[in-house]
Every structure is written in C-alpha cells, then in structure tokens.
Amino acid sequence: MQRKNFTEVTEFIFLGFSVFGKHQITLFVVFLTIYILTLAGNVVIVTIIRVDHHLHTPMYFFLSMLASSETVYTLVSVPRMLSGLLFHNQPISLAGCASQMFFFVLLATNNCFLLTAMGYDRYVAICNPLRYTVLMSKGVCVMLVSGSFGTGLVMAVLHVAAMFSLPFCGTVVEHFFCDIYPVMKLSCTDTTINEMINYGVSSFVILIPVSLIFISYVFIISTILKIASTEGRKKAFATCASHLTVVIVHYGCASIAYLKPKSENSIEKDLLLSGTYTIITPLLNPVVYSLRNKEVKDALRRAVGKKHFSTD
C-alpha cells in the first residue's frame, strides 16, 4: 500500500480520563491539588538551595537541577490533562503532539540520569571523602548535568524522528498526552521497528542508571558497614536515605510503565499508572527532601527565621 493512499491526519484528540465517566471532576480536584503542591514544593526547593550558602554543595546542585527539570516535565503534560478533565475532545496538532513527546522524553531521560549523578555524588562523599572536592568539582558537576541533558536530547530526537515518519490513520489517542505507545497504535503501517526502538531506549534509560546506582550503593553500604560507631553508620546512611527513597519509587513506576509486556495493558490501568508517574512522582522530591533531610529543614528554618526577624 502506498503512503499517498492514506488519509492525512493533521491532529489528534485525547481520550483522556473519559473512561472514568462521572469521576473526572474528582480526579480533576485531586490532580490539581497534587500539581499545585508539586510546583510549590519544587520552587521552594530550588529557591532555598539558591539562597542558603550551606546548601551550595554538589548534592544540592543536582537536587536543584532535578527539581527544575521535573517542574518543566510536569508543565509539558499536566495542564493539558487538567484541561481535558473539564473540556473533552480537545484537539492537538501533529506538530504540537511531536513537541509534547519530544520534551517529555527529553526531561524524563534527563531526570533518570540526574538521579544517577546524585548516586555517584553519594558514592564519592562516603567512599572517597578526602578526594570529594576534587572528584566532585564544579566542572565535574556541570559535565554530569550536561551529559544528562545531552542524553535526553539524543533519546528525544531519536523517538520523535522515528515516530513522526510514520503515516497515521487513527486520530483518538487513548491517553491524556502524546506518550509513545498510544500514538504508535494510531499508525497505519507495521510498527515493529518503532517498538524495538522504544523498548531499546526505555531499557537503556531505565536499566543503565539503575545498574550504576545499584553498583554505587553496593560500595556505599560496604563502606558504611565498616564504620565502627553505630552513630557514624546512622549518619552516613541518613545522607543517602532521601535519594534512595526517590530512586526506588521513580524507577519502580518507570519500569512498570515502560518495560512491562504490552499484553498486560488496559486503558484504565495505564492512565492511572501514567498519572502516578507524571504527577505524583515529581511531588516525591520536595516531600522527601524537605521531610527527611535535616540540612534542608535547617535551611528552611533559617529562611523563616530571617523573614520573621526582618518583619519584627
């Protein structure tokens, strides 16, 4: 069949959460609340790291980059999702869909490798403390952040170029944003190559960082167990607890969403899982790093104290 025989598709319409019927208003209120908390939390994290000199360290530099990236990441899909919960059948142009997918893949990949950089930072801090300032210099930190962004850029270009070279017949995307598989299903032609590319990229973006983080924590735990005092072991592990919590939830959700067999898919489950990965996971960083991290809590107290003092 020749490509010229296909009816040209110029826009898509999101199915969104319409399968949940009357529960959409409830979902709107819940998701909007979480989204506001996520934006506020990440803005507070970035601001407090910027203004408090006690947090001007590689660990918090990476955290501020991650918070900034996840803020933009949510802006890519969540506002349109919220709009779709109130106003149904809103179209998106082919170019708009390609742009949304591009930034989603770019920032999702960037987040994965930023978490890896944070794992390396914890490894150096605990296993090579005397060389920490050399191994985690400003130049090294910038290089790791640039590498994370560059990897995301390559993955995004690869995905979008492969996806939007396909001809499309369907127009209804069974999702609330232009994610890869829901858009791929609308193609008129065989998508085996695209599925292989997607699975390969997803495996690379998830399994490589997880493997590197796992190796880092093998060395970290081994070093911590050699510390003589119980108090010293607790203090060393406390510096990793927040990062480890975020890593487990982040990669757990990502693995279920993108590495599970496609035969296990159902629209309702996929929508809820994607909602978790897109909205709830970005909330995890400010919550975990503000509630479980003593240095951030101390910085917040100092900031509140200065504000209170200045108003007096």
Side-chain angles (χ1 to χ4, degrees), residues 123-154:
Y123 159 74
V124 175
I126 292 172
C127 300
N128 294 282
L130 298 179
R131 300 184 62 202
Y132 182 75
T133 54
V134 176
L135 294 175
M136 296 304 298
S137 65
K138 187 174 181 179
V140 171
C141 292
V142 171
M143 183 180 69
L144 288 171
V145 169
S146 300
S148 298
F149 187 83
T151 303
L153 191 61
V154 171

Side-chain angles (χ1 to χ4, degrees), residues 14 76-85 90-93 100 176:
F14 295 122
V76 169
S77 57
V78 178
R80 193 171 192 102
M81 179 204 71
L82 292 172
S83 175
L85 283 167
Q90 291 185 308
I92 185 171
S93 67
Q100 190 180 55
F176 56 84

Side-chain angles (χ1 to χ4, degrees), residues 45 59-60 63 66 115 118 239-244 246 284-297 300:
I45 288 287
M59 175 182 174
Y60 293 107
L63 177 57
L66 181 62
L115 284 169
M118 293 171 76
T239 65
C240 303
S242 298
H243 176 254
L244 197 54
V246 173
L284 193 65
N285 287 337
V287 169
V288 169
Y289 278 100
S290 59
L291 295 181
R292 291 184 58 89
N293 192 291
K294 184 178 183 300
E295 289 178 313
V296 173
K297 287 192 285 188
L300 287 168

Side-chain angles (χ1 to χ4, degrees), residues 215-292:
I215 292 169
S216 295
Y217 273 99
V218 167
F219 286 109
I220 287 170
I221 293 170
S222 176
T223 301
I224 289 175
L225 292 176
K226 292 176 184 176
I227 299 174
S229 67
T230 304
E231 189 62 31
R233 288 196 295 270
K234 286 182 179 178
K235 186 175 180 181
F237 188 74
T239 65
C240 303
S242 298
H243 176 254
L244 197 54
T245 302
V246 173
V247 163
I248 291 170
V249 176
H250 180 93
Y251 287 109
C253 289
S255 298
I256 295 170
Y258 293 102
L259 297 182
K260 72 179 188 299
K262 294 296 113 181
S263 59
E264 295 181 10
N265 282 9
S266 76
I267 295 175
E268 293 87 351
K269 287 181 180 178
D270 278 356
L271 287 172
L272 290 175
L273 182 61
S274 295
T276 300
Y277 185 68
T278 308
I279 304 171
I280 297 176
T281 303
L283 177 62
L284 193 65
N285 287 337
V287 169
V288 169
Y289 278 100
S290 59
L291 295 181
R292 291 184 58 89

Side-chain angles (χ1 to χ4, degrees), residues 24-71:
Q24 289 182 84
I25 298 300
T26 303
L27 287 173
F28 173 81
V29 173
V30 171
F31 287 157
L32 178 62
T33 302
I34 295 172
Y35 185 50
I36 292 171
L37 291 173
T38 300
L39 290 179
N42 281 319
V43 168
V44 168
I45 288 287
V46 172
T47 303
I48 202 69
I49 290 173
R50 184 176 180 82
V51 301
D52 194 303
H53 71 276
H54 294 91
L55 301 181
H56 291 178
T57 64
M59 175 182 174
Y60 293 107
F61 170 69
F62 291 131
L63 177 57
S64 67
M65 292 296 102
L66 181 62
S68 300
S69 179
E70 291 209 321
T71 299

